[in-house]
């Protein structure tokens, strides 16, 4: 249940921050906030919640 909930939340936040045609590229792009790891790697490792938290930080205007 938690993984499904987190995936739904991540997809919702992606809609707010990632342009639809660029979603695949974003999933493969290294993120500075995660030491150069990309979102796809984090999802595979079960770290969806970390991505959600990072989106929340962006929404609040905190630096990445």
């Amino acid at each position: 249940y938690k993984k499904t909930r987190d995936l739904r939340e991540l997809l919702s936040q992606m809609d707010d921050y990632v342009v639809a045609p660029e979603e695949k590229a974003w999933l493969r792009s290294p993120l500075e906030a995660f030491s150069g790891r990309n979102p796809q790697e984090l999802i595979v490792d079960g770290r969806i919640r970390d991505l959600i938290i990072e989106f929340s930080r962006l929404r609040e205007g905190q630096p990445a």
Side-chain angles (χ1 to χ4, degrees), residues 18-57:
V18 182
V19 179
E22 297 176 15
E23 288 175 343
K24 285 183 183 180
W26 178 81
L27 286 167
R28 294 184 180 107
S29 298
L31 300 175
E32 190 175 320
F34 296 102
S35 302
R37 297 191 70 207
N38 66 46
Q40 186 172 330
E41 293 171 322
L42 296 169
I43 292 168
V44 169
D45 289 348
R47 295 182 58 194
I48 298 168
R49 192 86 189 95
D50 293 345
L51 290 166
I52 292 168
I53 290 167
E54 191 60 27
F55 275 124
S56 296
R57 291 182 65 210

